[in-house]
Amino acid sequence: MTILIAILAIVFIVLTFMVVSKTQSILKGLSKSEVEESEYLGAPDRYNSANGVGLFVFWLISIVGIVWSFIVYKKDFLPEASSIHGKETDYWFWVSMIVIMIGFFIVNTFLFLFSYLYRHNKNRKVTFYTHNNNLEIIWTTVPAIVMAGLVFTGLRVWTKITSEAPANAEQIDIMGKQFGWTVRYAGVDDNQFGKYNYKLMDDAGGNPMGVDFSDPNSFDDFANASEMHIPKGKPVLLKIRARDVLHSVFIPHMRVKMDAVPGMPTKFWFVADKSTADMRAELGKPEFNYEIACTEICGRSHFGMKLLLVVDEPADYEKWKKSQKPLLTENPDLLNKVPDNLKAKAQKYTSTEPVAAEATPEVVASSVLGNSSKVLK
Amino acid sequence: MSTVSQVEVHEHSEHAHEEHHELGFIRKYIFSEDHKVIAKQYLISGIVWAVLGALMSVVFRLQLGFPEMDMAWMKPFLGDWISLDNKGLGKLDPNFYLALVTMHGTIMVFFVLTAGLSGTFSNFLIPLQIGARDMASGFMNMLSYWIFFISSVVMFVSLFIKTGPAGGSWVIYPPLSALKEANPGSGDGMTLWLVSMALFIVSSLLGGINYVTTVINLRTKGMSMDKLPLTIWAFTFTAILGILSFPVLLSAALLLIFDRSFGTSFYLSDIYINGQALPNQGGSPILFQHLFWFLGHPEVYIVILPALGLTSEVIATNSRKPIFGYKAMIFSMAGIMFLAFIVWAHHMFVTGMNPFLGSVFMLLTLIIAVPSAVKGFNYITTLWKGNIIFTPAMLFAIGLVSFFISGGLTGIILGNSALDIQLHDTYFVVAHFHLVMGSAAIFGMLAGVYHWFPKMFGRMMNNSMGYIHFWITFIGVYLVFFPMHYIGIAGFPRRYYQWSGFETFNTYMDLNAFITIAAIITVFAQAVFIFNFVYSIFWGKKASANPWKSNTLEWTTPINPGHGNWPGEIPTVYRWPYDYSKPGAPDDFIPQNVPYSATPESNLPEENELIAAEKEINSIKYDTSLHD
């Protein structure tokens, strides 16, 4: 509030100053004789040199500001990459950044330097110089060659990143919804996903992901709406979908981003090479956690669609998987959806001791939001 | 040229002139068919929208820079969009935040930088610079403005409905924009948005067809295409872009209207929302994105090309030097126009589109950087060994070149699909396009206003206020958008109401606050411009006919050109528009209507040969059997 008042005050001071100077100039203008009026109203005025010099000074100060701010803020640029392809894209990001920064400094320097050097001077002879085809050819080819280099490297990296996932990739079904993520794993017994169908989705009935329980592969599938675990050093294939509007899976540290589209499953595979524990040690932050965010506008709580990502050592990962309860165990009522001929097989998962109902996705989502507003204070 | 039809007979135009003197206030200033009046209507509408759009950005910047701020003081004009928590602290409603972002984008891109920029300067300058009495169809031109006006009214009304204006961001991706259940802004606000845009497209097409027709058919004697000022080339390319791409947006919008209201499934499939599975199947949200960006990408060139055209003229005039590489400029604009149609999917690298398509579009996108770079180099070489007069227009033109370079360069990173994975939909993108097309185009527009104000209103704008305006705005824009790149490189996603829920984005609060303060100062500095603009219309210094000693035809008209632009015959054109500081010439400019036979002292050898052709130009007879 105070800042706003201060800003308004500054604006009004400027306005007052202008009105005063304007009045003065009008008064001055009145005292001048009409004879001085010339047809050439656009002739350079007494501020002309100041403006020309000003542009160059602006640029010099800018260079200092750019370098200074870059050094100060660099520490949070591109949060430490934790995936193999991420290191490669980061490398090419900085290569491109250096190339464009060279262009940025050279071209802007010429622009502002010429503004300074060739500010109006009565005695200057302007060079009548209309075109130079050699120059045009040079400054068409040089950017073209640089672009070609960047395109070539970019294409190579892009093709690698978007290639088919290795056959041994750990598959995870991740679904975006307003406003949260749910992940599903294929289970430890068969390691096969059960089919899903959006028509089977039923929040009230405990089947938010629309898992088809007439498919026996689904019996050991388990899901989680608060965190996703992945193994370190092993390819992970995210099978991404959305059930209401567009979402986008964004894992900043993994350099992973892919839209979640209703009706069109998408995918992204990557290899995480630093576990959560590794990163905690490396950054010296014992609280550190990987996070998954949404980067496609999806409505009111778009900014709160958070899922924790835990990167485990492979052995811990397998252990974690074993400790997870299949959907059928979590919610024995789902047994009703299983066709009679498969009920015997399914019963294996419901006969274990009943467990406390897991937080429904809604609750998790709102607790995420609750957290964020708490952090806000 | 001889096939051109135009009312050119002296008596005839005099006659037409007489007729129009009887026009009443309404026909003269409101439902006017005069291109100059229509241009001013567009300009003033554009300025009003710009003020509104800029103020919206102040509100959401406050939210982003100072998320803990008590916003209760905005309750008197934002009403229920500010909710009071139990401690009495006012908080901006997250839905309204999205609506603000959406409306800011829509208003700035379409209403300010398309209608306000193209509408103003294409209308004003095309007839004046090619030497025509008016647009090919004055009536269509009037219709274009008034349909735009209705479209504006519809959009404005949508701000006041209970569920708020459209809130799915300016790209209105379905299913969010198609399902009322998904977002309050997807209800009536979205309906009004679509209606408004449909009208806007109609208006834009009527305008665009008129511009192209006028440039092709109504050029004055001797005004061959290679003598057109670069402004006209830019406006023509812009109009062609609009004519070919806006209909695609209309079709996208129509299909969305069908999906929203008539139960079709063009964009909808497999949706479960509000505890219900919808029956729609087989549609594709990606289809909408393709259709949208088929306009959406050319749209950014629709925004920037006219600004570049205006800048070419301003820079050449005020450097007192010919624009460097006139033909190269035309070819690079033509290249940009052509490529603009085939790069749209670079907005969609991570939408799940086939990665092979991603590769193709990445290649094409990086090619478009080449003609853009050529334009930048040509501007700078125009300054080289010139004699620069820093009028406010010139300062804004130089500012444009700087923004165009600085913002364009980051496009090289975003156009690279591998690097775009991390940066897509982060603040890096926001910073990039606000510099390269937002600020650059606004600077082009401001340069145009300062430069052509004397011809529009017969008075000069105040220079000192112009300098103050330029310096605050120029520095302010860089202070807003340069640090924004940093936030983007750190991964901050766009369209977030706040970031503090994420540990990863729980930094840079100081930078965000800094950007907000810089943005507020920049926005409020525009008051200087608005004051100068309004003040100068009524009380500015009286202009002369050619205050900048410029070559183009509009400066051969009287100080206040009347209906029909030239009181007598339209001047004949003999030379290109950039004969500034020609060696041997007594003055440092030679207007386009001065024949080579009159300037033997400064003619280049090949120009002396053209003297013989002047008789031919003079003897051109227009076919007046076709009435305009």
Side-chain angles (χ1 to χ4, degrees):
Chain A
M1 192 62 200
T2 33
I3 291 161
L4 202 84
I5 291 167
I7 289 156
L8 284 176
I10 293 169
V11 169
F12 282 111
I13 288 166
V14 170
L15 280 173
T16 323
F17 168 75
M18 281 180 341
V19 172
V20 170
S21 69
K22 178 72 207 162
T23 325
Q24 275 173 340
S25 67
I26 289 172
L27 289 176
K28 239 185 271 169
L30 285 176
S31 60
K32 262 190 219 158
S33 62
E34 289 289 302
V35 189
E36 279 179 62
E37 291 282 293
S38 119
E39 278 288 282
Y40 189 19
L41 298 170
D45 61 13
R46 61 203 158 107
Y47 299 115
N48 202 66
S49 278
N51 279 319
V53 174
L55 284 169
F56 192 57
V57 170
F58 162 82
W59 177 237
L60 294 180
I61 296 173
S62 295
I63 294 175
V64 176
I66 289 165
V67 172
W68 173 81
S69 61
F70 184 88
I71 293 167
V72 170
Y73 288 104
K74 197 177 166 303
K75 64 175 174 32
D76 289 318
F77 287 173
L78 292 179
E80 190 59 36
S82 309
S83 63
I84 290 172
H85 80 271
K87 293 199 169 62
E88 199 166 358
T89 57
D90 280 11
Y91 174 77
W92 287 109
F93 172 81
W94 288 115
V95 169
S96 308
M97 205 56 166
I98 290 166
V99 170
I100 71 168
M101 283 320 268
I102 292 171
F104 172 77
F105 281 112
I106 292 179
V107 182
N108 270 312
T109 301
F110 276 117
L111 176 69
F112 292 114
L113 184 66
F114 289 170
S115 303
Y116 162 75
L117 288 179
Y118 303 109
R119 61 193 191 281
H120 191 270
N121 177 339
K122 248 186 282 178
N123 305 320
R124 194 195 320 282
K125 230 38 237 115
V126 172
T127 309
F128 186 81
Y129 190 37
T130 58
H131 66 282
N132 179 332
N133 291 342
N134 289 334
L135 264 183
E136 301 286 353
I137 288 167
I138 290 169
W139 63 44
T140 307
T141 17
V142 170
I145 291 168
V146 175
M147 291 303 140
L150 294 176
V151 169
F152 178 73
T153 55
L155 277 180
R156 208 173 43 84
V157 178
W158 170 251
T159 313
K160 206 153 66 178
I161 294 172
T162 55
S163 60
E164 282 300 315
N168 68 340
E170 189 70 22
Q171 300 195 6
I172 300 171
D173 174 18
I174 176 165
M175 184 193 80
K177 63 192 266 304
Q178 287 180 321
F179 296 96
W181 300 101
T182 312
V183 287
R184 181 170 66 120
Y185 290 77
V188 279
D189 295 348
D190 59 10
N191 202 22
Q192 294 283 323
F193 280 113
K195 292 196 195 89
Y196 64 85
N197 184 333
Y198 86 103
K199 290 197 166 154
L200 299 172
M201 289 177 185
D202 185 1
D203 283 346
N207 191 9
M209 297 186 88
V211 177
D212 183 356
F213 287 100
S214 64
D215 177 1
N217 286 334
S218 68
F219 294 166
D220 66 339
D221 292 2
F222 61 88
N224 197 316
S226 58
E227 53 185 46
M228 176 167 108
H229 282 246
I230 58 170
K232 172 180 147 185
K234 199 176 165 203
V236 172
L237 170 63
L238 297 181
K239 303 175 96 171
I240 303 164
R241 58 186 169 120
R243 70 170 206 188
D244 38 34
V245 300
L246 294 174
H247 301 279
S248 187
V249 177
F250 177 34
I251 317 178
H253 290 88
M254 302 293 165
R255 310 293 187 258
V256 167
K257 190 176 285 150
M258 183 51 72
D259 281 7
V261 185
M264 191 188 93
T266 57
K267 58 186 195 293
F268 199 110
W269 76 271
F270 63 102
V271 183
D273 64 354
K274 282 180 193 166
S275 70
T276 303
D278 292 344
M279 277 295 267
R280 285 177 178 170
E282 187 180 324
L283 300 174
K285 284 190 205 155
E287 311 282 273
F288 172 84
N289 270 315
Y290 290 114
E291 290 166 322
I292 298 176
C294 176
T295 47
E296 189 65 71
I297 181 170
C298 60
R300 187 182 194 279
S301 300
H302 170 50
F303 65 101
M305 261 182 81
K306 180 163 87 169
L307 187 74
L308 283 184
L309 169 67
V310 181
V311 182
D312 292 317
E313 295 296 334
D316 295 339
Y317 174 70
E318 293 305 327
K319 218 189 288 170
W320 174 82
K321 266 171 79 171
K322 289 213 178 69
S323 74
Q324 296 298 301
K325 305 221 158 54
L327 288 162
L328 276 175
T329 319
E330 292 279 353
N331 193 347
D333 291 346
L334 290 173
L335 198 58
N336 302 331
K337 315 262 185 202
V338 178
D340 289 342
N341 59 340
L342 293 170
K343 276 224 163 76
K345 196 178 173 199
Q347 238 133 22
K348 179 185 152 201
Y349 297 97
T350 51
S351 56
T352 48
E353 75 288 341
V355 280
E358 203 204 336
T360 62
E362 278 80 5
V363 177
V364 173
S366 62
S367 79
V368 169
L369 294 179
N371 282 343
S372 57
S373 50
K374 248 177 259 157
V375 178
L376 224 179
K377 275 188 293 287
Chain B
M1 282 303 295
S2 54
T3 57
V4 166
S5 69
Q6 178 162 11
V7 181
E8 186 51 45
V9 179
H10 190 72
E11 296 95 316
H12 189 102
S13 61
E14 284 286 276
H15 179 62
H17 201 66
E18 295 297 315
E19 261 177 12
H20 288 288
H21 264 301
E22 311 305 323
L23 290 177
F25 178 83
I26 289 185
R27 287 300 309 251
K28 194 165 173 200
Y29 292 110
I30 299 179
F31 294 107
S32 170
E33 295 183 16
D34 186 322
H35 71 101
K36 298 183 291 298
V37 177
I38 295 172
K40 290 175 207 171
Q41 290 172 333
Y42 268 116
L43 178 60
I44 289 165
S45 317
I47 291 176
V48 170
W49 273 119
V51 169
L52 204 63
L55 289 177
M56 286 177 174
S57 73
V58 169
V59 177
F60 64 70
R61 259 332 304 182
L62 280 175
Q63 165 64 32
L64 294 175
F66 305 97
E68 292 152 58
M69 189 173 137
D70 178 14
M71 302 223 187
W73 58 275
M74 284 198 273
K75 210 159 167 55
F77 53 93
L78 291 183
D80 286 347
W81 294 120
I82 302 283
S83 54
L84 298 180
D85 65 5
N86 40 22
K87 277 177 260 153
L89 287 177
K91 288 277 165 238
L92 193 69
D93 184 271
N95 279 325
F96 188 60
Y97 170 82
L98 294 181
L100 280 174
V101 176
T102 306
M103 294 320 283
H104 171 77
T106 309
I107 288 171
M108 289 305 195
V109 171
F110 294 110
F111 292 73
V112 179
L113 293 175
T114 305
L117 179 58
S118 262
T120 304
F121 290 102
S122 297
N123 266 312
F124 191 75
L125 291 179
I126 288 178
L128 282 172
Q129 290 195 330
I130 65 168
R133 299 262 174 228
D134 206 317
M135 281 288 174
S137 167
F139 178 74
M140 230 163 96
N141 209 14
M142 175 184 82
L143 216 55
S144 159
Y145 175 75
W146 285 101
I147 291 175
F148 161 67
F149 187 81
I150 298 168
S151 147
S152 291
V153 170
V154 174
M155 193 62 86
F156 190 70
V157 166
S158 85
L159 299 175
F160 297 97
I161 59 177
K162 192 156 170 45
T163 47
S169 90
W170 80 283
V171 298
I172 57 156
Y173 283 172
L176 183 64
S177 59
L179 304 172
K180 285 181 197 56
E181 309 90 308
N183 189 18
S186 302
D188 297 339
M190 195 63 226
T191 307
L192 291 177
W193 193 99
L194 288 166
V195 171
S196 169
M197 278 322 292
L199 289 168
F200 183 89
I201 293 165
V202 171
S203 147
S204 162
L205 289 176
L206 285 172
I209 290 169
N210 222 345
Y211 303 150
V212 176
T213 314
T214 309
V215 172
I216 292 176
N217 284 328
L218 295 187
R219 281 167 288 128
T220 185
K221 283 198 266 186
M223 182 64 97
S224 50
M225 296 301 270
D226 62 350
K227 294 196 188 83
L228 284 176
L230 287 173
T231 36
I232 302 301
W233 277 106
F235 297 146
T236 312
F237 287 139
T238 306
I240 295 171
L241 273 172
I243 292 169
L244 294 179
S245 62
F246 265 119
V248 179
L249 180 67
L250 185 65
S251 64
L254 274 179
L255 298 186
L256 184 55
I257 290 171
F258 287 155
D259 271 9
R260 287 167 50 81
S261 311
F262 306 118
T264 55
S265 312
F266 292 108
Y267 308 130
L268 304 178
S269 187
D270 297 20
I271 290 167
Y272 176 88
I273 193 164
N274 267 4
Q276 254 184 335
L278 302 185
N280 311 67
Q281 268 188 295
S284 165
I286 306 294
L287 168 65
F288 177 86
Q289 298 177 22
H290 279 295
L291 294 176
F292 179 87
W293 286 114
F294 191 82
L295 161 90
H297 196 80
E299 173 63 27
V300 307
Y301 293 97
I302 291 174
V303 162
I304 195 66
L305 279 179
L308 292 172
L310 296 170
T311 300
S312 307
E313 197 56 36
V314 171
I315 286 189
T317 303
N318 289 296
S319 303
R320 314 307 298 161
K321 195 165 169 278
I323 194 87
F324 186 78
Y326 172 78
K327 291 224 165 97
M329 288 296 231
I330 296 171
F331 284 125
S332 54
M333 278 197 282
I336 289 173
M337 180 190 76
F338 174 72
L339 290 168
F341 284 112
I342 47 173
V343 297
W344 78 88
H346 67 216
H347 299 267
M348 301 168 57
F349 286 142
V350 293
T351 55
M353 179 179 78
N354 187 323
F356 174 70
L357 269 182
S359 313
V360 174
F361 278 97
M362 167 183 172
L363 185 72
L364 294 166
T365 300
L366 294 186
I367 294 175
I368 208 170
V370 175
S372 309
V374 168
K375 285 196 75 76
F377 296 142
N378 279 317
Y379 285 129
I380 291 170
T381 315
T382 305
L383 298 179
W384 180 68
K385 291 199 171 178
N387 206 5
I388 306 169
I389 301 168
F390 293 102
T391 60
M394 182 64 172
L395 288 168
F396 277 100
I398 291 173
L400 175 149
V401 176
S402 181
F403 291 156
F404 188 65
I405 295 162
S406 308
L409 282 166
T410 48
I412 293 171
I413 290 189
L414 290 170
N416 186 330
S417 51
L419 309 184
D420 186 59
I421 295 172
Q422 177 73 0
L423 296 169
H424 179 80
D425 269 342
T426 65
Y427 266 74
F428 197 80
V429 180
V430 180
H432 159 71
F433 74 76
H434 273 94
L435 272 184
V436 74
M437 76 157 221
S439 305
I442 281 280
F443 266 46
M445 187 169 166
L446 289 168
V449 172
Y450 279 105
H451 193 77
W452 279 280
F453 191 89
K455 199 42 69 188
M456 285 183 177
F457 299 101
R459 288 173 188 273
M460 310 294 289
M461 284 181 86
N462 179 283
N463 273 355
S464 306
M465 277 195 262
Y467 300 145
I468 295 172
H469 176 216
F470 167 76
W471 281 108
I472 302 180
T473 314
F474 182 57
I475 296 171
V477 165
Y478 264 127
L479 289 183
V480 171
F481 297 114
F482 204 89
M484 209 177 260
H485 289 97
Y486 295 172
I487 295 178
I489 299 173
F492 283 51
R494 293 170 78 174
R495 296 159 184 153
Y496 265 36
Y497 173 72
Q498 63 192 27
W499 292 286
S500 44
F502 288 84
E503 212 182 296
T504 319
F505 312 131
N506 205 355
T507 146
Y508 280 168
M509 270 326 289
D510 54 340
L511 215 49
N512 267 313
F514 176 82
I515 291 176
T516 298
I517 292 169
I520 290 172
I521 292 172
T522 314
V523 166
F524 282 98
Q526 306 313 305
V528 178
F529 168 74
I530 293 179
F531 174 79
N532 193 356
F533 182 79
V534 176
Y535 178 89
S536 303
I537 288 178
F538 298 103
W539 302 286
K541 189 176 177 183
K542 284 249 164 61
S544 53
N546 188 0
W548 318 115
K549 292 199 177 180
S550 194
N551 287 344
T552 38
L553 282 187
E554 73 272 30
W555 307 105
T556 62
T557 60
I559 295 173
N560 286 303
H563 192 71
N565 296 339
W566 285 268
E569 204 179 326
I570 299 177
T572 304
V573 164
Y574 300 98
R575 60 176 75 228
W576 76 324
Y578 299 106
D579 266 347
Y580 290 106
S581 301
K582 211 171 182 189
D587 215 343
D588 68 350
F589 72 115
I590 310 173
Q592 280 190 280
N593 58 336
V594 175
Y596 288 120
S597 50
T599 57
E601 68 283 0
S602 66
N603 287 349
L604 303 172
E606 68 269 23
E607 287 168 349
N608 279 321
E609 291 161 24
L610 292 172
I611 294 176
E614 280 170 8
K615 269 203 200 89
E616 219 173 288
I617 294 175
N618 283 323
S619 62
I620 292 173
K621 284 276 174 285
Y622 285 101
D623 175 8
T624 52
S625 60
L626 287 171
H627 213 284
D628 71 345

